[in-house]
Amino acid sequence: MTSASKVDLMDFILPDHQTSALKAAVLIQRWYRQYVARTEMRRRYTWHIFQSIEYSGEQAQIKLYNFLGYLMDNFTPSKISSYFCYQNIEVPEIYSGPHLTFPLTVEQAMGLVEAFRMKKQLHSRYVLQLLLETWKLLRMFPNINRISTCHSKEITICGDLHGQLEDLLLIFYKNGMPSLEKPYVFNGDFVDRGKDSIEILLILFSFLLVYPSDVYLNRGNHEDHIVNLRYGFTKEVLTKYKMHGKRIVKLLQKIFSWLPLATVIDQKVLVLHGGISDTTDLSLLARLDRHKYVSALRPPKKRLMSSVGTSIDSDDEIWSNSRFNQRRTSLTYPKPLGERDSFQNRSLQDFSDRLKANVVENELEPQSRRPSIFNSVTTRSEKEITLSVSSDSAYSDTMEEWKQILDLLWSDPMTPDGCIPNEVRGGGCYWGPDVTEDFLNKHNLQLIIRSHECKQDGYEFCHNRKVLTLFSASNYYDVGSNRGAYYQASNLTRELSVRQSIGRTERSALKVLREQLFAHRSDLICAFKKFDSNKTGLVSLSEWANAVESVMHLNLPWRMLRYQLVTCKTSDGVINYYEWFNQLHIDQSLLETLYRHRSTLETIFRIVDTDNSGFITIEDFRQTWKLLSIYLKMEITDEAICDLAIAIDSNQDGSIDIDEFMEAFRLTDKKSRLERGRSMFMGTAPDLTKLEGDPNI
Amino acid sequence: MAESKQSAELTEVQKKIRATFEAFDYEFNNTVDVREIGTIIYALGCFPSQKDLHDFIAQVEEDHTGWIHLDKFLPAMTEVLLEHKFPPIPEDLVLQAFEVLDKEKKGYLDPEELTKYMTQEGEPFTQVEMDEMLTAHADHEKNCICYKDLISQLTIDPDL
């Protein structure tokens, strides 16, 4: 009975090497196949679980948010809860500032504005709590926000605020506070230079929490911890919050990296902080992991990178009154700084001697009003960037993404055509009107609204009025200073034509319907089979309609909808229903489906990876799975979870990186898996040839 | 006492079989494609030979339709598990198997050597299987397969 499968030690001790080699080979093959099968089993099992999230009948989007919300509420890995823990911070009796309770209400947000107006300071406990809530929320937003003006007539867009609370208060006074009827877009650079950066952030974040669909924040180049070190924000926080300042700074670092990169209004107006380059690609920007790019001045850490670009501070700043045209070109890009390990612990100051050129610095100091510079546009030549070249192709993808973000946050428009590196700032580019034209055409947009540069009147059009620069920090409206401005976007775009808007609704309804159909596929297949007694896999179109009707119990004109729902090939009015199901799956917004699972998994990974190191510990992974099983009300034993975690850690280093995590859920494609399955017992079974014509492959 | 223990074991075994089976049952109708059977049986911790698989399939297949139904699979597989019909291959035996192939006793195998054995001898691998094994487990720098490391890496406790 079992003799055929047992391999004995004695079998190896044979004079005939060939025979023993044969037996050895058999053993190894069997052993290896077993390993592969077990791995595949694990993948399937975990995939099943995620499929059940996808297809249990709810809208996928809501499901995802709910699960993520649940995860975030319940997942308290030891690292983060201890570090950002606010619960232990006591608020003393003598504290006269505002007390916050969560979830935040609009009264509290307004109360905060009022308190700051009265020069109060928010207690660090509430700061941390507010920041934590903000962080949780920001993680759910896409890289590019999309708003439409159909609900409210106007959207208000504010440019750089740079810690100038008075300007924000003035805007709120003149224009009204953010609300459901009064949506706002804040276009970056909330901090640095001015003295109330943290207060501005807290106000913006509170309104964001209260009105998450009506307040939009774009990241600016100053939402960057390295820039903050130089330009005053970090110092402000550490001064105002002596005990917990460091934690606040750290949390802000994360938050900044999670700020969305841009906003599109009515699919026609692009609002972003810096600008574009001739290579700017919105779909790439929409897809990348924005939080990996903690600082736009530094490419993200990579485990195997041999050297890392880093920003360098220069001791040689020269205060200059030079005008716009007299900006000194500062650089040749310095050479790479060598192996990562060799400079990991150096302070920023150490690099100054390795710079080949000086960095010129122009600061517009709002408090000190210098009449000689009133005509000049602020020029900020910021830091230099070191790039190290690596031949790793994944790394070059990362570099590409990083460049895209850099361009977005740091670029400035110029008058002549073309696109050249922005040497004054040391990052991003100068882009010309031809680049604007091409870009707008390519993405079917009409206008770019950006900030980043101070303009005397607070705003300025250029590039044939296709680019608008908006700057909101002002000099108290004094003579010889610039004004701050905000822009009200309304009637910017034509009303959507009636036909267009119906199309939109129809598409989303169809999408829901497709999801429902797919969720019922087992019942539907049974129903189809009833019509398909010869097991051909085919039914006629009217049989299709009958079957669908009988299963879905939805009073819909299925025969009419058929043309929308059945897009796979039908010859002679006959549908292959298996193929239809595959097609159905794919039709559901291809990009969404392709990336849906991926992004769910990646998001989950990111949540678990609280220190953004790119690794999660086995223990964290286990905890997450436990939560998942509770949430889904599924029985997954501790043992199974342990095994899963260990199996996923394929290089056995005790932690799971994103690649291993994704790999665990990778489905081998059906065809090759079946082929492999066949090879396990192929060779002698004659019946197997009958499987050749399987239509399901 | 012994009986309840036995029936507890039985339930456990059957649960495991069901769970594994269901993972490959795409149409939720308690059938799986016959080509997945090998994977399922392996996944349950067994190490059948090709012939063992053939015989098993012959037992449970639904009239050569290419489908296997849980109703037949469950009892057959339960028997396999309870009687330990396809026992695991102990680590040291695998090691010896590798050592047999490593004629020169180098301590490792060249990819070409391994490929030759795996694709031409015994129950041969397909090209895909071979490529996968090499990609995943060959040491790319030294261009060899250090089988001792490989064994400890891949051997998972059969007592799932």
Side-chain angles (χ1 to χ4, degrees), chain A residues 30 52 66 323 523:
Chain A
R30 201 177 305 165
S52 63
N66 287 345
R323 291 159 169 265
D523 288 335

Side-chain angles (χ1 to χ4, degrees), chain B:
Chain B
M1 195 65 159
E3 219 186 76
S4 62
K5 215 173 160 191
Q6 224 177 27
S7 59
E9 198 198 344
L10 179 68
T11 326
E12 269 314 297
V13 156
Q14 291 198 324
K15 259 203 210 168
K16 223 163 52 166
I17 295 173
R18 268 185 212 278
T20 311
F21 189 92
E22 272 162 16
F24 294 88
D25 172 16
Y26 307 119
E27 290 161 28
F28 307 108
N29 56 3
N30 288 331
T31 61
V32 301
D33 191 311
V34 66
R35 284 165 292 186
E36 311 258 39
I37 283 295
T39 309
I40 298 175
I41 297 180
Y42 279 137
L44 286 164
C46 302
F47 287 72
S49 68
Q50 274 191 346
K51 184 171 186 309
D52 293 329
L53 279 176
H54 277 145
D55 295 341
F56 184 90
I57 287 170
Q59 229 188 317
V60 300
E61 195 185 355
E62 205 94 37
D63 308 319
H64 309 304
T65 51
W67 296 101
I68 296 193
H69 201 282
L70 183 62
D71 293 342
K72 285 200 174 162
F73 183 75
L74 187 60
M77 197 64 218
T78 310
E79 200 187 324
V80 163
L81 286 181
L82 291 178
E83 294 177 22
H84 306 289
K85 280 191 184 174
F86 309 136
I89 304 170
E91 254 185 68
D92 48 356
L93 217 50
V94 183
L95 181 60
Q96 275 166 9
F98 272 107
E99 283 172 348
V100 167
L101 299 185
D102 179 15
K103 283 191 281 202
E104 296 149 39
K105 308 287 168 236
K106 304 190 292 294
Y108 60 84
L109 285 172
D110 298 321
E112 300 79 32
E113 272 181 288
L114 186 64
T115 306
K116 193 182 79 153
Y117 285 119
M118 296 292 102
T119 56
Q120 290 171 15
E121 305 271 5
E123 301 170 348
F125 278 175
T126 61
Q127 192 55 46
V128 171
E129 281 178 304
M130 194 66 237
D131 288 343
E132 218 194 48
M133 187 184 195
L134 289 176
T135 317
H137 299 114
D139 185 332
H140 294 289
E141 276 179 34
K142 305 186 205 140
N143 199 33
C144 71
I145 291 110
C146 304
Y147 46 82
K148 287 211 184 100
D149 296 334
L150 184 63
I151 291 169
S152 42
Q153 244 189 324
L154 300 192
T155 303
I156 305 163
D157 194 329
D159 238 327
L160 215 212

Side-chain angles (χ1 to χ4, degrees), chain A residues 320-340:
Chain A
S320 163
N321 293 334
S322 56
R323 291 159 169 265
F324 185 94
N325 298 328
Q326 287 168 13
R327 283 184 297 196
R328 269 181 54 191
T329 56
S330 57
L331 51 90
T332 55
Y333 289 94
K335 291 206 191 93
L337 290 173
E339 293 301 309
R340 180 188 195 205

Side-chain angles (χ1 to χ4, degrees), chain A residues 180-365:
Chain A
L180 296 172
E181 290 79 42
K182 205 158 267 306
Y184 271 79
V185 178
F186 293 96
N187 202 12
D189 278 10
F190 317 122
V191 300
D192 278 334
R193 298 226 174 86
K195 60 179 178 54
D196 298 312
S197 299
I198 186 73
E199 280 74 27
I200 289 199
L201 274 188
L202 294 170
I203 291 175
L204 295 184
F205 291 158
S206 346
F207 278 107
L208 180 71
L209 289 171
V210 177
Y211 295 117
S213 314
D214 300 287
V215 172
Y216 296 89
L217 304 179
N218 289 340
R219 190 177 183 185
N221 63 306
H222 278 261
E223 276 68 58
D224 181 327
H225 68 288
I226 296 182
V227 179
N228 299 147
L229 282 168
R230 272 284 292 119
Y231 288 93
F233 177 49
T234 310
K235 188 170 164 192
E236 179 193 320
V237 174
L238 294 175
T239 310
K240 286 180 178 171
Y241 294 97
K242 296 211 160 37
M243 265 197 74
H244 303 288
K246 277 199 180 147
R247 284 194 218 176
I248 294 174
V249 166
K250 192 90 181 122
L251 192 43
L252 281 167
Q253 201 177 316
K254 283 179 186 294
I255 286 178
F256 286 165
S257 73
W258 277 105
L259 284 171
L261 298 170
T263 300
V264 175
I265 306 175
D266 287 341
Q267 301 171 72
K268 287 294 169 204
V269 179
L270 176 64
V271 187
L272 38 67
H273 177 73
I276 58 170
S277 73
D278 52 356
T279 56
T280 298
D281 178 355
L282 286 183
S283 54
L284 196 157
L285 283 162
R287 285 197 310 263
L288 53 77
D289 283 339
R290 68 181 187 272
H291 86 293
K292 269 175 21 184
Y293 302 91
V294 178
S295 164
L297 297 175
R298 198 204 300 227
K301 297 183 276 195
K302 255 211 169 258
R303 189 166 34 142
L304 299 171
M305 259 172 60
S306 57
S307 46
V308 130
T310 186
S311 64
I312 317 137
D313 203 357
S314 168
D315 282 341
D316 297 327
E317 287 179 76
I318 301 167
W319 178 265
S320 163
N321 293 334
S322 56
R323 291 159 169 265
F324 185 94
N325 298 328
Q326 287 168 13
R327 283 184 297 196
R328 269 181 54 191
T329 56
S330 57
L331 51 90
T332 55
Y333 289 94
K335 291 206 191 93
L337 290 173
E339 293 301 309
R340 180 188 195 205
D341 291 344
S342 64
F343 62 65
Q344 210 157 7
N345 294 322
R346 289 197 216 162
S347 73
L348 289 174
Q349 303 309 324
D350 290 352
F351 301 129
S352 55
D353 60 340
R354 301 187 66 159
L355 273 181
K356 296 268 192 279
N358 295 332
V359 175
V360 175
E361 169 76 32
N362 271 346
E363 280 214 18
L364 179 67
E365 195 65 39

Side-chain angles (χ1 to χ4, degrees), chain A residues 402-445:
Chain A
W402 174 62
K403 180 188 187 293
Q404 293 269 338
I405 295 184
L406 194 59
D407 288 341
L408 215 69
L409 299 181
W410 285 81
S411 301
D412 294 309
M414 64 177 180
T415 318
D417 279 347
C419 188
I420 55 176
N422 191 325
E423 292 178 344
V424 172
R425 296 198 194 264
C429 68
Y430 289 119
W431 87 93
D434 56 334
V435 176
T436 299
E437 187 72 32
D438 289 340
F439 178 83
L440 292 176
N441 286 335
K442 179 175 158 203
H443 292 96
N444 205 18
L445 297 163

Side-chain angles (χ1 to χ4, degrees), chain A residues 656-668:
Chain A
I656 297 169
D657 65 31
I658 182 73
D659 294 325
E660 287 169 335
F661 190 79
M662 297 302 293
E663 184 60 22
F665 300 104
R666 177 182 68 88
L667 255 193
T668 51

Side-chain angles (χ1 to χ4, degrees), chain A residues 352-548:
Chain A
S352 55
D353 60 340
R354 301 187 66 159
L355 273 181
K356 296 268 192 279
N358 295 332
V359 175
V360 175
E361 169 76 32
N362 271 346
E363 280 214 18
L364 179 67
E365 195 65 39
Q367 271 70 27
S368 60
R369 292 154 209 172
R370 293 168 172 253
S372 54
I373 56 168
F374 93 90
N375 271 334
S376 74
V377 171
T378 309
T379 63
R380 286 163 280 182
S381 40
E382 316 265 349
K383 297 175 193 63
E384 317 216 348
I385 303 110
T386 316
L387 300 178
S388 42
V389 176
S390 162
S391 55
D392 186 16
S393 69
Y395 180 54
S396 71
D397 283 345
T398 306
M399 293 303 287
E400 172 60 32
E401 287 178 358
W402 174 62
K403 180 188 187 293
Q404 293 269 338
I405 295 184
L406 194 59
D407 288 341
L408 215 69
L409 299 181
W410 285 81
S411 301
D412 294 309
M414 64 177 180
T415 318
D417 279 347
C419 188
I420 55 176
N422 191 325
E423 292 178 344
V424 172
R425 296 198 194 264
C429 68
Y430 289 119
W431 87 93
D434 56 334
V435 176
T436 299
E437 187 72 32
D438 289 340
F439 178 83
L440 292 176
N441 286 335
K442 179 175 158 203
H443 292 96
N444 205 18
L445 297 163
Q446 286 175 1
L447 174 66
I448 297 174
I449 299 182
R450 43 89 64 175
S451 304
H452 198 37
E453 281 179 301
C454 175
K455 297 293 178 188
Q456 190 191 346
D457 285 329
Y459 75 97
E460 187 178 273
F461 279 101
C462 67
H463 292 191
N464 303 320
R465 293 187 76 87
K466 298 225 172 112
V467 174
L468 168 63
T469 301
L470 200 60
F471 196 84
S472 298
S474 71
N475 276 11
Y476 305 103
Y477 296 95
D478 224 330
V479 172
S481 68
N482 69 297
R483 295 180 157 177
Y486 58 92
Y487 188 81
Q488 283 165 324
S490 61
N491 303 320
L492 271 176
T493 59
R494 295 180 275 285
E495 293 276 348
L496 280 173
S497 68
V498 176
R499 203 160 37 104
Q500 259 181 309
S501 46
I502 286 179
R504 225 194 231 170
T505 324
E506 194 188 19
R507 262 198 300 282
S508 54
L510 279 173
K511 186 161 159 289
V512 174
L513 195 53
R514 283 194 194 103
E515 283 177 9
Q516 284 297 304
L517 284 167
F518 200 82
H520 286 84
R521 68 187 184 283
S522 53
D523 288 335
L524 283 166
I525 290 195
C526 277
F528 291 140
K529 279 184 174 164
K530 289 203 186 102
F531 287 106
D532 179 23
S533 47
N534 296 333
K535 300 195 183 166
T536 55
L538 304 170
V539 291
S540 73
L541 288 166
S542 63
E543 285 168 340
W544 175 90
N546 282 326
V548 172

Side-chain angles (χ1 to χ4, degrees), chain A residues 616-669:
Chain A
I616 56 182
T617 64
I618 305 260
E619 184 52 37
D620 286 340
F621 179 82
R622 274 195 55 245
Q623 270 196 50
T624 314
W625 270 95
K626 270 232 83 97
L627 279 174
L628 180 55
S629 63
I630 295 167
Y631 181 75
L632 294 175
K633 301 191 185 53
M634 289 186 71
E635 279 179 44
I636 308 177
T637 63
D638 271 347
E639 261 184 284
I641 298 176
C642 270
D643 286 335
L644 189 58
I646 293 172
I648 286 178
D649 178 20
S650 52
N651 66 357
Q652 307 285 317
D653 64 353
S655 62
I656 297 169
D657 65 31
I658 182 73
D659 294 325
E660 287 169 335
F661 190 79
M662 297 302 293
E663 184 60 22
F665 300 104
R666 177 182 68 88
L667 255 193
T668 51
D669 84 274

